[in-house]
């Protein structure tokens, strides 16, 4: 009987503690997504429902939440968006799917995306992204799909990506990447198609030996 | 939303204009729309509004004149230096700021100068709203020592505010709302001058408390801190601001009681302290607030009864106290509260019958009493509420739906009616003569109502949203649903409807061509109008207006049969299509791929056969797809959104696989080299999943956790419906 009472009181305390935290975190997620909206151009008004005065972003179109009202999906593929991403995206702690493919989004990929440790799919293909692939993406240990093809990304492929053991689909083709293509770790799975049509990539998988390699 | 100064004024005008049109609606329908000027004149009697508005326009007017008369003079060199310094701190280039092309900074975008001579014209105004500006604002800003108004709202500015900002002696208006500013709000406010009249820090990430020395800002009449992470109790200094007209501190984490000191703010017109952690009893201190028009304290922890001075206030137009723990009977004195237009007492602990005295609040346009402990019948004299447009009585213990509808049909302006979780187990009224000609939203869910879809709905030709879910309605979906040209949200789930899905549903005009009226409801700023509960935990999602709902057709969990018409592809504006748990058969039409806005497609638990059409890959917004428990076969489409759907979306079908199977070969053994990839959809998995499911159901049922139908009314919030 006493044990039950203790159990109930612990539960109540947990609820009391966790509930306000949930509210605050959902607000932060709404703020983060609203920053994204501010930074994007949206000619078709697909983000029209993104009203930051609501308690959380779970009722916004193209946003999906889990049962704790935390954002797990943002599905904005093929939505005619342009403009840039914002570092605040890194605050969506439970985000699993970030689908922004087939738009005209430009600027750099924010290194803060490396904070999205629940991310399963990062689909930024067919956009106008420039700059390097952030080294921090190697922290996305649950990532299965990494598709950054058909952008204007430059610089090397971060070695950190080879640590993502869950990676199943990788497409970095049609960019301006350079340097050696890693072939260790999870990269041993991938074929030349994943790296095709880059200007300066080298290594066994590309057919161009890297300078200085045997 | 962003609240720049100009936008604020426009909102103000909108809101007031709308309210006025609202009040006149019944008497003078032919009144032409008021121009902004007319509205301004109409409202210029409001002291605060006039002061704010006039001073702003006088400023603007003066500067316009000065620009034309003295355009030959260049800007002061110190000001030029300060602006250049500011521009260097920002992370982005301000278009139109270039000292090489245009050395006179008075011509730069957003810069306003005065007409002073001598050392050049001085910068008095800086207004850069919604320009996607990033980076910080640095100390150089504080070198603009003649600056009088500063508006940087709705940008992406970050960092903390420069310490010197409040040393600017002439500053009157500061609006830095809707940015990414962080840190505590600097003290030293109004230390060197008290000319600040408007301070808007809302929608940022400020932390800490309200600075105690705010009391020095004796000219302050508009103060907005809403939408930050501020905490602590309200310092007494706030209550010394005798000129304050508007105080907005909603959506923070302020705590403690609301002190009696609030009685000192005798000029207050708007007070919003909602969505904080305030507690205790509401002070009976509103008698001296003779100008108070709007009071919002929703979503706090207030308890006790409604203060006498509140329920007798002749000035209050808007009283929003929902989502607290207030109790006692609802004892509004409507013979005193002559101006009350919006009343929200939802989600409290009020008990007793609905008082018939409420019907003497003749201007009442929106009334929310949902989620209380009210019982009995709707008072007969609610017939007299001519202005009533929004009524929510959901989740009480009301009785006699026939009489309630009979009374409410006399409220000719009624456009939204929410009656969920009442009238338990009654027969739905099916009288032909009920008339609700202006009804746009009707929610009558989770009442366990008996009968069929009522005929009187035919009179509701303006219907946009209809939720009759979680009842026991039988019969078929009537073909006259096609008359609802504006309907874009239809939830008939969890009933006992039978027959085929009428084709007429695919001809609903607003789902085909998307002319969904985005007309904002006049009360939506103050109310979270609708709640939608979802899932086992029943977490509540708030919506402000009907048009915020995703366009939806939900016919799930009925006994519907026949095929899915290819004509569903015509519903180009549909976002949610739920047909699960019926007896639908035939194939999934490939034309569904033309529903380009579709986000959710649930066809699970039916008898569908054939392949998944590969054309569905075109649905790039599809985020939730479920076809489990059917008789489908062949390959699951690959790529696009389909890679993101979990395996359980495809469970329990005849012959679905990720690679290498076809419908023709479904009987032949699976090729051995593919076997490994198939296991997830193979029979072993199926048997496991099925037995697991059966076990779970048995366990849940035995433990009394899973209820087949709402057993107790208050506990029925298991699946989705709108309250």
């Amino acid at each position: 009987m006493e044990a039950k009472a203790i159990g109930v009181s612990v539960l109540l305390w947990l609820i009391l503690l966790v509930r306000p935290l949930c509210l605050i975190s959902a607000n932060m997620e709404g703020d983060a997504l609203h920053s994204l909206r501010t930074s994007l151009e949206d000619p078709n008004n697909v983000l029209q429902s993104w009203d930051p005065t609501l308690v959380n972003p779970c009722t916004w179109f193209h946003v999906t939440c889990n049962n704790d009202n935390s954002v797990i999906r943002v599905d904005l593929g093929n939505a005619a968006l342009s403009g840039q991403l914002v570092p605040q995206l890194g605050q969506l702690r439970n985000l699993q799917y970030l689908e922004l493919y087939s738009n005209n989004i430009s600027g750099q990929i924010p290194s803060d995306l490396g904070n999205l440790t629940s991310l399963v799919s990062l689909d930024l293909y067919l956009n106008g992204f420039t700059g390097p692939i952030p080294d921090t993406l190697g922290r996305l240990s649950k990532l299965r799909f990494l598709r950054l093809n058909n952008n204007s990304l430059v610089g090397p492929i971060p070695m950190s990506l080879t640590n993502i053991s869950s990676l199943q689909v990788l497409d970095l083709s049609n960019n301006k990447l350079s340097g050696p293509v890693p072939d260790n770790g999870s990269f041993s799975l991938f074929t030349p198609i994943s790296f095709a049509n880059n200007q300066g990539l080298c290594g066994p998988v590309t057919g161009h030996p890297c300078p200085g390699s045997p | 939303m962003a609240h720049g100064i100009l936008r604020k004024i426009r909102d103000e005008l909108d809101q007031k204009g709308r309210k006025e049109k609202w009040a006149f609606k019944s008497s003078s329908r032919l009144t032409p729309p008021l121009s902004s000027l007319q509205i301004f004149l109409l409202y210029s009697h409001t002291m605060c509004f006039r002061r704010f508005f006039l001073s702003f326009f006088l400023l603007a007017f003066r500067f316009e004149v000065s620009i034309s008369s003295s355009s030959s003079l260049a800007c002061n060199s110190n000001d030029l230096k300060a602006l250049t310094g500011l521009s260097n701190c920002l992370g982005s280039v301000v278009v139109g700021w270039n000292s090489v092309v245009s050395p006179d900074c008075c011509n730069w975008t957003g810069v306003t100068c005065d007409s002073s001579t001598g050392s050049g014209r001085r910068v008095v105004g800086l207004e850069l709203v919604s320009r996607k500006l990033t980076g910080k604002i640095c100390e150089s800003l504080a070198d603009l020592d003649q600056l009088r108004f500063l508006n940087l709202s709705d940008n992406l500015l970050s960092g903390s505010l420069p310490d010197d900002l409040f040393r600017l002696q002439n500053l009157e208006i500061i609006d830095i709302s809707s940015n990414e500013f962080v840190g505590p709000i600097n003290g030293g406010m109004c230390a060197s001058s008290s000319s600040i009249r408007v301070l808007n820090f809302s929608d940022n990430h400020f932390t800490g408390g309200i600075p105690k020395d705010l009391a020095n800002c004796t000219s302050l009449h508009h103060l907005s801190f809403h939408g930050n992470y501020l905490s602590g109790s309200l310092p007494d200094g706030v209550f010394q601001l005798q000129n304050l007209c508007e105080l907005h501190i909603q959506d923070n984490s302020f705590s403690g009681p609301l002190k009696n000191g609030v009685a000192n703010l005798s000029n207050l017109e708007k007070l919003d302290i909602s969505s904080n952690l305030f507690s205790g009893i509401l002070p009976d201190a509103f008698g001296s607030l003779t100008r108070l028009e709007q009071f919002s304290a929703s979503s706090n922890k207030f308890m006790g009864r409604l203060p006498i001075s509140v329920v007798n206030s002749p000035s209050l137009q808007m009283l929003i106290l929902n989502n607290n723990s207030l109790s006692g009977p609802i004892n509004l004195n409507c013979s005193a509260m002559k101006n009350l237009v919006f009343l929200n007492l939802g989600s409290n602990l009020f008990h007793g019958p609905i008082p018939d005295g409420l019907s003497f609040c003749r201007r009442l346009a929106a009334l929310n009493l949902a989620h209380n402990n009210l019982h009995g019948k709707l008072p007969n004299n609610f017939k007299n509420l001519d202005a009533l447009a929004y009524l929510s009585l959901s989740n009480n213990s009301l009785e006699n739906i026939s009489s309630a509808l009979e009374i409410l049909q006399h409220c000719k302006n009624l456009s939204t009616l929410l009656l969920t979780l009442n009238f338990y187990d009654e027969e739905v009224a099916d009288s032909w003569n009920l008339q609700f000609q202006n009804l746009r939203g009707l929610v009558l869910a989770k009442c366990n109502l008996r009968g069929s879809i009522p005929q009187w709905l035919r009179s509701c030709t303006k219907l946009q949203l209809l939720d009759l879910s979680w009842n026991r309605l039988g019969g078929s979906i009537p073909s006259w649903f096609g008359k609802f040209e504006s309907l874009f949200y239809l939830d008939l789930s969890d009933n006992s409807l039978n027959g085929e899905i009428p084709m007429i549903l695919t001809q609903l005009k607003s789902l085909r061509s998307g002319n969904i009226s985005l007309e904002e409801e006049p009360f939506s700023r103050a109310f979270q109008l609708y709640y939608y509960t979802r899932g086992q935990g029943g977490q509540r999602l708030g919506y402000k207006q009907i048009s915020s709902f995703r366009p939806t057709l939900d016919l799930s969990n009925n006994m519907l049969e026949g095929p899915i018409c290819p004509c569903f592809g015509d519903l180009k504006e549909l976002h949610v299509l739920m047909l699960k748990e019926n007896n639908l058969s035939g194939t999934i039409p490939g034309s569904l791929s033309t529903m380009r806005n579709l986000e959710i497609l649930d066809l699970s638990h039916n008898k569908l056969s054939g392949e998944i059409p590969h054309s569905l890959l075109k649905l790039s917004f599809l985020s939730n797809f479920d076809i489990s428990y059917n008789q489908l076969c062949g390959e699951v489409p690959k790529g696009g959104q389909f890679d993101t759907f979990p395996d359980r979306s495809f469970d329990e079908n005849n012959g679905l696989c990720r690679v290498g199977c076809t419908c023709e070969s479904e009987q032949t053994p699976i090729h051995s080299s593919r076997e490994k990839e198939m296991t997830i959809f193979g029979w072993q998995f199926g048997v496991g999943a099925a037995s697991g499911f059966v076990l779970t159901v048995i366990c849940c049922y035995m433990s009394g956790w899973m209820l087949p139908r709402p057993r107790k009314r208050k506990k029925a919030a298991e699946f989705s419906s709108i309250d």
Side-chain angles (χ1 to χ4, degrees), chain B residues 51-327:
Chain B
R51 267 193 292 171
F52 180 38
F53 205 13
L54 280 183
S55 55
F56 188 82
F57 266 72
L58 285 177
L59 272 174
F61 185 66
R62 218 184 99 196
F63 298 132
E64 225 164 284
V65 169
S66 64
I67 287 163
S68 54
S69 64
S70 55
S71 54
S72 55
L73 280 162
C75 78
N76 176 284
S77 58
N78 286 336
D79 288 350
L80 179 65
K81 212 169 118 192
L83 285 176
T84 312
L86 184 66
S87 139
N88 291 339
C89 298
L90 295 175
S92 47
V93 179
V94 187
V95 182
W97 280 29
N98 190 327
S99 54
V100 180
V101 176
S102 164
D104 181 2
C105 70
C106 292
N107 293 333
W108 290 6
T109 318
V111 176
T112 311
C113 294
D114 70 358
S115 55
S116 63
T117 49
S119 57
R121 293 164 61 208
R122 304 302 309 270
V123 173
V124 294
L126 184 55
E127 196 163 14
L128 296 168
V129 181
S130 305
R131 291 178 180 274
K132 301 187 198 291
L133 299 179
T134 58
K136 300 181 172 192
I137 51 173
C138 50
E139 301 286 341
S140 329
L141 181 69
D143 295 335
L144 296 168
D145 53 23
Q146 294 298 312
L147 199 65
R148 294 176 62 183
F149 60 98
L150 173 69
N151 187 354
L152 301 172
S153 61
D154 197 20
N155 284 296
L156 294 157
L157 297 168
S158 55
S160 50
L161 293 180
D163 284 336
D164 285 343
L165 183 59
F166 296 108
R167 288 194 207 132
L168 291 169
Q169 295 197 355
N170 298 305
L171 215 48
E172 292 171 30
I173 297 173
I174 305 178
D175 188 347
I176 52 164
S177 59
S178 296
N179 278 288
E180 313 271 339
F181 289 115
V182 296
I185 294 171
N186 327 15
M189 264 184 190
C190 307
S192 49
S193 102
S194 61
S195 53
I196 295 178
R197 291 179 296 119
V198 177
L199 208 53
N200 188 353
F201 283 21
S202 57
D203 293 319
N204 279 288
H205 309 299
F206 288 115
T207 48
I210 289 183
K212 294 204 165 40
D213 52 7
L214 194 68
N216 294 335
C217 302
T218 48
S219 310
L220 204 59
H221 64 78
H222 182 118
L223 182 59
S224 288
F225 283 136
H226 67 80
N228 283 290
Y229 301 103
L230 299 170
S231 55
S233 56
L234 277 187
D236 289 332
V238 171
F239 301 126
Q240 291 164 27
L241 299 168
Q242 291 280 333
N243 290 309
L244 209 59
C245 301
E246 292 192 29
L247 178 59
H248 301 273
I249 55 165
Q250 68 269 30
D251 295 313
N252 282 290
S253 300
F254 290 113
S255 54
L258 178 65
K259 293 179 192 157
N260 275 312
V262 74
N264 296 338
L265 301 175
S266 54
N267 280 305
L268 212 56
E269 291 175 3
K270 294 179 188 171
L271 174 61
D272 195 340
I273 60 168
S274 55
S275 298
N276 279 292
L277 302 167
F278 287 110
S279 56
I281 290 169
L282 280 172
D284 195 8
F286 290 79
S288 56
L289 306 186
T290 53
R291 298 173 193 270
L292 192 66
E293 292 173 1
Q294 302 183 5
F295 176 42
S296 298
S298 59
S299 300
N300 280 290
K301 298 171 179 175
F302 288 114
M303 47 195 266
R305 304 203 163 199
L306 292 170
I308 301 298
S309 55
V310 169
V311 296
N312 283 288
S313 165
S315 60
L316 269 181
Q317 295 172 6
M318 185 183 271
L319 179 59
I320 310 294
L321 298 174
N322 58 301
N323 208 7
N324 282 290
S325 300
L326 299 169
S327 57

Side-chain angles (χ1 to χ4, degrees), chain B residues 702-721:
Chain B
M702 284 174 67
S703 64
W705 177 66
M706 197 175 87
L707 308 171
R709 281 283 167 189
R711 194 172 54 183
K712 277 188 185 168
R713 270 179 286 171
K714 303 277 179 185
K715 302 251 162 96
E718 283 169 341
F719 295 105
S720 56
S721 105

Side-chain angles (χ1 to χ4, degrees), chain A residues 58-132:
Chain A
C58 300
T59 59
W60 298 2
F61 295 5
H62 313 301
V63 173
T64 308
C65 290
N66 62 12
N67 283 340
D68 300 321
N69 285 348
S70 179
V71 177
I72 54 167
R73 297 186 69 119
V74 175
D75 291 280
L76 289 168
N78 209 1
L81 299 170
S82 55
Q84 303 194 358
L85 299 188
V86 291
Q88 286 83 349
L89 276 177
Q91 292 167 12
L92 305 170
R93 296 281 163 193
N94 293 303
L95 192 68
Q96 294 175 20
Y97 296 92
L98 182 58
E99 307 298 321
L100 298 171
Y101 58 87
S102 298
N103 286 294
N104 297 312
I105 304 171
S106 55
Q108 298 205 3
I109 299 173
S111 61
D112 304 67
L113 294 191
N115 298 336
L116 302 173
T117 47
S118 306
L119 208 62
V120 173
S121 171
L122 179 59
D123 281 329
L124 305 179
Y125 57 91
L126 287 162
N127 275 292
F129 286 107
T130 52

Side-chain angles (χ1 to χ4, degrees), chain A residues 28 31 35 38 40-41 48 52-53 58-64 66-67 69 73 75 77-78 88 97 99 101 145 147, chain B residues 1 132 154 156 180 205 229 518 528 534 539-544 548-551 575 599 620-621 623 640-641 643-644:
Chain A
M28 276 175 76
D31 288 349
S35 302
T38 307
L40 290 174
E41 304 284 347
Q48 194 174 28
T53 65
C58 300
T59 59
W60 298 2
F61 295 5
H62 313 301
V63 173
T64 308
N66 62 12
N67 283 340
N69 285 348
R73 297 186 69 119
D75 291 280
N78 209 1
Q88 286 83 349
Y97 296 92
E99 307 298 321
Y101 58 87
F145 302 93
R147 286 177 281 214
Chain B
M1 266 304 161
K132 301 187 198 291
D154 197 20
L156 294 157
E180 313 271 339
H205 309 299
Y229 301 103
L518 291 174
Q528 293 271 327
R534 186 184 70 165
Q539 74 265 52
R540 289 153 66 78
L541 301 172
Y543 292 83
K544 288 196 171 167
S548 339
F549 282 88
R550 286 177 167 91
H575 284 239
E599 293 184 62
S620 61
F621 291 140
S623 58
Q641 293 294 98
D643 287 346
T644 71

Side-chain angles (χ1 to χ4, degrees), chain A residues 181-210:
Chain A
V181 176
D183 55 1
N184 54 333
S186 59
F187 273 52
S188 53
L189 292 171
F190 303 121
T191 57
I193 308 167
S194 298
F195 309 101
N197 199 16
N198 277 285
Q199 282 155 356
L201 286 178
C202 64
V205 80
T206 62
H208 303 285
C210 289

